[in-house]
Amino acid sequence: MNTPDYLDQAVNIDKLDEKILKLITQNARIPFLEVARECGVSGAAIHQRVQRLQNIGVVSGSEFIVTPQKLGYNTCAYMGIHLEKAKFHTQVVEALRAIPEVVECHFTTGQYAIFIKIQTKTNKHLKHIIDNYLQEIEGIARTETFMSLEMDFKRQVPIK
């Protein structure tokens, strides 16, 4: 399968694109007319620029971010996964995708083949997920779990 070019290399964006990106990544709900006023261009120009940024893969979609703790998900853990063999990667990832509490999954270099983030309501809930789901996945040789005590910050990549 061919990977789209925009996933392989950085694209060229100008100062106006950078300013637009800074504004819309700080507030995805900001009206284009407000972005236009801040940038000194028309609303139509902003709409065209954002559409172009989407088309070339610089930005995708918009989303509301759920605060897990507000929904009772108070335990955050990261898990390094060792595979029995590299060939199990695809089937393990598909099995992980079926577990809603697994919120991130990364194919990595180094000690682990896969690194995941798990968000659960309690430590007991986490243990249940590990015992009844993760340890049942064919192809996983062993795991190592790291508990997050607190997230200090999370951010987007810097816009020049």
Side-chain angles (χ1 to χ4, degrees), residues 75-118:
T75 298
C76 176
Y78 295 88
M79 180 180 287
I81 299 173
H82 297 271
L83 299 178
E84 290 173 10
K85 294 183 179 179
K87 72 177 186 175
F88 287 115
H89 175 262
T90 302
Q91 76 184 51
V92 168
V93 168
E94 286 309 308
L96 291 168
R97 189 183 310 276
I99 304 168
E101 291 85 354
V102 176
V103 296
E104 287 184 27
C105 179
H106 302 267
F107 187 46
T108 60
T109 61
Q111 185 175 358
Y112 311 106
I114 299 171
F115 204 76
I116 61 174
K117 179 180 179 181
I118 308 169

Coordinates of all heavy atoms in Angstrom, one line a residue, residues 75-118:
T75 N -7.8 6.1 36.6 CA -6.5 5.4 36.5 C -6.0 5.4 35.0 O -6.7 5.0 34.1 CB -6.7 3.9 36.9 OG1 -7.1 3.9 38.3 CG2 -5.4 3.1 36.8
C76 N -4.8 5.9 34.9 CA -4.2 6.0 33.6 C -2.9 5.2 33.7 O -2.1 5.3 34.6 CB -3.8 7.4 33.2 SG -2.9 7.6 31.7
A77 N -2.7 4.2 32.8 CA -1.5 3.4 32.8 C -1.0 3.3 31.3 O -1.7 3.4 30.4 CB -1.8 2.0 33.3
Y78 N 0.3 3.1 31.3 CA 1.0 2.8 30.0 C 1.5 1.4 30.1 O 1.9 0.9 31.2 CB 2.1 3.8 29.8 CG 1.6 5.2 29.6 CD1 1.4 6.0 30.7 CD2 1.3 5.7 28.4 CE1 0.9 7.3 30.6 CE2 0.8 7.0 28.2 CZ 0.6 7.8 29.3 OH 0.1 9.0 29.2
M79 N 1.5 0.7 29.0 CA 2.0 -0.7 29.0 C 2.9 -1.0 27.8 O 2.5 -0.7 26.7 CB 0.8 -1.6 29.0 CG 1.2 -3.1 29.0 SD -0.3 -4.2 28.9 CE -0.9 -3.9 30.6
G80 N 4.0 -1.5 28.1 CA 4.9 -2.0 27.1 C 4.6 -3.4 26.8 O 4.5 -4.2 27.7
I81 N 4.5 -3.8 25.5 CA 4.1 -5.1 25.1 C 5.2 -5.8 24.3 O 5.7 -5.2 23.3 CB 2.8 -5.1 24.3 CG1 1.7 -4.5 25.2 CG2 2.4 -6.5 23.8 CD1 0.4 -4.3 24.4
H82 N 5.6 -7.0 24.8 CA 6.6 -7.8 24.1 C 5.8 -8.8 23.3 O 4.9 -9.5 23.8 CB 7.5 -8.5 25.0 CG 8.3 -7.7 25.9 ND1 9.6 -7.2 25.5 CD2 8.1 -7.1 27.1 CE1 10.1 -6.5 26.4 NE2 9.2 -6.4 27.4
L83 N 6.1 -9.0 22.0 CA 5.4 -10.0 21.2 C 6.2 -11.3 21.2 O 7.4 -11.3 21.3 CB 5.2 -9.5 19.8 CG 4.4 -8.2 19.6 CD1 4.4 -7.8 18.1 CD2 3.0 -8.4 20.1
E84 N 5.5 -12.4 21.0 CA 6.1 -13.7 20.9 C 7.0 -13.7 19.6 O 8.1 -14.2 19.6 CB 5.1 -14.8 20.8 CG 4.4 -15.1 22.1 CD 3.3 -16.1 22.0 OE1 3.1 -16.8 21.0 OE2 2.5 -16.2 23.0
K85 N 6.4 -13.2 18.5 CA 7.1 -13.0 17.2 C 6.6 -11.7 16.6 O 5.4 -11.4 16.8 CB 6.8 -14.2 16.3 CG 7.4 -15.5 16.8 CD 7.2 -16.6 15.8 CE 7.8 -17.9 16.3 NZ 7.6 -19.0 15.4
A86 N 7.4 -11.1 15.8 CA 7.0 -9.8 15.1 C 5.8 -10.0 14.2 O 5.0 -9.1 14.0 CB 8.1 -9.3 14.3
K87 N 5.6 -11.2 13.7 CA 4.5 -11.5 12.8 C 3.1 -11.3 13.5 O 2.1 -11.2 12.8 CB 4.6 -12.9 12.2 CG 4.3 -14.0 13.1 CD 4.4 -15.4 12.4 CE 3.9 -16.5 13.4 NZ 3.9 -17.8 12.7
F88 N 3.1 -11.3 14.8 CA 1.8 -11.2 15.6 C 1.4 -9.7 15.7 O 0.3 -9.5 16.2 CB 2.0 -11.8 17.0 CG 2.0 -13.3 17.0 CD1 3.1 -13.9 17.4 CD2 0.9 -14.0 16.6 CE1 3.2 -15.3 17.5 CE2 0.9 -15.4 16.7 CZ 2.1 -16.1 17.1
H89 N 2.2 -8.8 15.2 CA 1.9 -7.4 15.4 C 0.5 -7.0 14.9 O -0.3 -6.4 15.7 CB 2.9 -6.5 14.6 CG 2.6 -5.1 14.7 ND1 2.0 -4.4 13.6 CD2 2.7 -4.1 15.7 CE1 1.8 -3.1 14.0 NE2 2.2 -2.9 15.2
T90 N 0.1 -7.3 13.7 CA -1.2 -6.9 13.2 C -2.4 -7.5 14.0 O -3.3 -6.8 14.3 CB -1.3 -7.3 11.7 OG1 -0.2 -6.7 11.0 CG2 -2.6 -6.9 11.1
Q91 N -2.3 -8.8 14.3 CA -3.4 -9.4 15.0 C -3.5 -8.9 16.4 O -4.6 -8.7 17.0 CB -3.4 -10.9 14.9 CG -2.4 -11.6 15.8 CD -2.3 -13.1 15.6 OE1 -2.2 -13.6 14.5 NE2 -2.4 -13.8 16.7
V92 N -2.4 -8.6 17.1 CA -2.4 -8.0 18.4 C -3.0 -6.6 18.4 O -3.8 -6.3 19.2 CB -1.0 -8.0 19.0 CG1 -0.9 -7.2 20.3 CG2 -0.5 -9.5 19.3
V93 N -2.6 -5.8 17.4 CA -3.1 -4.5 17.3 C -4.7 -4.5 17.1 O -5.4 -3.8 17.7 CB -2.4 -3.6 16.2 CG1 -3.2 -2.4 15.9 CG2 -1.0 -3.3 16.6
E94 N -5.1 -5.4 16.3 CA -6.6 -5.6 16.1 C -7.3 -6.0 17.3 O -8.4 -5.5 17.7 CB -6.9 -6.5 14.9 CG -6.6 -5.9 13.6 CD -7.2 -4.6 13.3 OE1 -8.4 -4.4 13.5 OE2 -6.5 -3.6 12.9
A95 N -6.7 -6.9 18.1 CA -7.3 -7.3 19.4 C -7.3 -6.1 20.4 O -8.3 -5.9 21.1 CB -6.5 -8.5 20.0
L96 N -6.2 -5.3 20.4 CA -6.2 -4.1 21.3 C -7.2 -3.1 20.9 O -7.8 -2.5 21.8 CB -4.8 -3.5 21.2 CG -3.6 -4.3 21.8 CD1 -2.3 -3.8 21.5 CD2 -3.8 -4.5 23.3
R97 N -7.4 -3.0 19.6 CA -8.4 -2.0 19.1 C -9.8 -2.3 19.6 O -10.6 -1.4 19.8 CB -8.4 -2.0 17.6 CG -9.2 -0.9 16.9 CD -9.2 -1.0 15.4 NE -7.9 -1.2 14.8 CZ -7.1 -0.1 14.5 NH1 -7.4 1.1 14.8 NH2 -5.9 -0.4 13.9
A98 N -10.1 -3.6 19.9 CA -11.4 -4.0 20.4 C -11.6 -3.7 21.9 O -12.7 -3.9 22.4 CB -11.6 -5.5 20.1
I99 N -10.6 -3.3 22.6 CA -10.7 -3.0 24.0 C -10.9 -1.5 24.2 O -9.9 -0.7 24.0 CB -9.4 -3.5 24.8 CG1 -9.2 -5.0 24.5 CG2 -9.6 -3.2 26.3 CD1 -7.9 -5.5 25.0
P100 N -12.1 -1.0 24.5 CA -12.3 0.5 24.5 C -11.4 1.2 25.5 O -11.1 2.4 25.2 CB -13.8 0.6 25.0 CG -14.4 -0.8 24.7 CD -13.3 -1.8 24.8
E101 N -11.0 0.6 26.5 CA -10.1 1.3 27.5 C -8.7 1.5 27.0 O -8.0 2.4 27.6 CB -10.0 0.5 28.8 CG -11.3 0.4 29.6 CD -12.3 -0.7 29.1 OE1 -12.0 -1.4 28.1 OE2 -13.3 -0.8 29.8
V102 N -8.3 0.9 25.9 CA -7.0 1.1 25.3 C -7.2 2.3 24.4 O -7.9 2.2 23.3 CB -6.5 -0.1 24.5 CG1 -5.2 0.3 23.8 CG2 -6.2 -1.3 25.4
V103 N -6.7 3.5 24.8 CA -7.0 4.7 24.1 C -5.9 5.2 23.1 O -6.1 6.1 22.3 CB -7.3 5.9 25.0 CG1 -8.6 5.5 25.8 CG2 -6.2 6.1 26.0
E104 N -4.7 4.6 23.2 CA -3.6 4.8 22.3 C -2.8 3.6 22.1 O -2.7 2.7 23.0 CB -2.6 5.9 22.8 CG -3.1 7.3 22.8 CD -2.1 8.3 23.3 OE1 -0.8 8.0 23.1 OE2 -2.5 9.3 23.8
C105 N -2.3 3.4 20.9 CA -1.4 2.2 20.6 C -0.3 2.7 19.6 O -0.6 3.2 18.6 CB -2.3 1.2 19.9 SG -1.4 -0.3 19.5
H106 N 0.9 2.4 20.0 CA 2.1 2.8 19.2 C 2.9 1.6 18.9 O 3.2 0.8 19.8 CB 2.9 3.8 19.9 CG 2.2 5.0 20.3 ND1 2.1 6.2 19.5 CD2 1.4 5.3 21.4 CE1 1.4 7.1 20.1 NE2 0.9 6.6 21.3
F107 N 3.4 1.5 17.6 CA 4.4 0.5 17.2 C 5.7 1.1 17.5 O 6.0 2.2 17.0 CB 4.2 0.1 15.7 CG 5.0 -1.0 15.3 CD1 5.2 -2.2 16.0 CD2 5.7 -0.9 14.0 CE1 5.9 -3.2 15.5 CE2 6.5 -2.0 13.6 CZ 6.6 -3.1 14.3
T108 N 6.6 0.5 18.3 CA 7.8 1.2 18.7 C 9.1 0.4 18.5 O 9.0 -0.8 18.2 CB 7.7 1.5 20.3 OG1 7.6 0.2 20.9 CG2 6.5 2.3 20.6
T109 N 10.1 1.2 18.6 CA 11.5 0.5 18.5 C 11.9 0.4 20.0 O 11.3 0.9 20.9 CB 12.5 1.4 17.8 OG1 12.6 2.7 18.5 CG2 12.1 1.7 16.4
G110 N 13.0 -0.3 20.2 CA 13.5 -0.4 21.6 C 13.0 -1.7 22.3 O 12.7 -2.7 21.7
Q111 N 12.8 -1.5 23.6 CA 12.5 -2.7 24.4 C 11.1 -3.3 24.1 O 11.0 -4.5 24.2 CB 12.5 -2.2 25.9 CG 12.3 -3.4 26.9 CD 12.5 -2.9 28.3 OE1 12.7 -1.8 28.6 NE2 12.2 -3.8 29.2
Y112 N 10.1 -2.5 23.7 CA 8.8 -3.1 23.5 C 8.5 -3.0 22.0 O 8.9 -2.1 21.3 CB 7.8 -2.3 24.2 CG 8.1 -2.1 25.7 CD1 8.5 -0.9 26.2 CD2 8.1 -3.2 26.6 CE1 8.9 -0.7 27.5 CE2 8.4 -3.1 27.9 CZ 8.8 -1.8 28.4 OH 9.2 -1.7 29.7
A113 N 7.7 -3.9 21.5 CA 7.2 -3.9 20.1 C 6.0 -2.9 20.0 O 5.8 -2.2 19.0 CB 6.7 -5.3 19.7
I114 N 5.2 -2.9 21.1 CA 4.0 -2.0 21.1 C 3.9 -1.3 22.5 O 4.3 -1.9 23.5 CB 2.7 -2.9 20.9 CG1 2.7 -3.6 19.5 CG2 1.4 -2.1 21.0 CD1 1.6 -4.6 19.3
F115 N 3.5 -0.1 22.5 CA 3.3 0.7 23.7 C 1.9 1.2 23.7 O 1.5 1.9 22.7 CB 4.3 1.8 23.8 CG 4.6 2.2 25.2 CD1 5.4 1.5 26.0 CD2 4.1 3.4 25.6 CE1 5.7 1.9 27.3 CE2 4.4 3.9 26.9 CZ 5.2 3.1 27.8
I116 N 1.1 1.0 24.7 CA -0.3 1.4 24.7 C -0.6 2.3 26.0 O 0.1 2.3 26.9 CB -1.3 0.2 24.7 CG1 -1.1 -0.7 25.9 CG2 -1.1 -0.5 23.4 CD1 -2.2 -1.8 26.0
K117 N -1.6 3.1 25.8 CA -2.1 3.9 27.0 C -3.5 3.3 27.3 O -4.4 3.1 26.4 CB -2.2 5.3 26.6 CG -2.8 6.2 27.7 CD -2.9 7.7 27.2 CE -3.4 8.6 28.3 NZ -3.5 10.0 27.8
I118 N -3.8 3.1 28.6 CA -5.0 2.5 29.0 C -5.6 3.4 30.0 O -5.0 3.9 31.0 CB -4.8 1.1 29.7 CG1 -4.0 0.2 28.8 CG2 -6.1 0.5 30.1 CD1 -3.5 -1.1 29.5

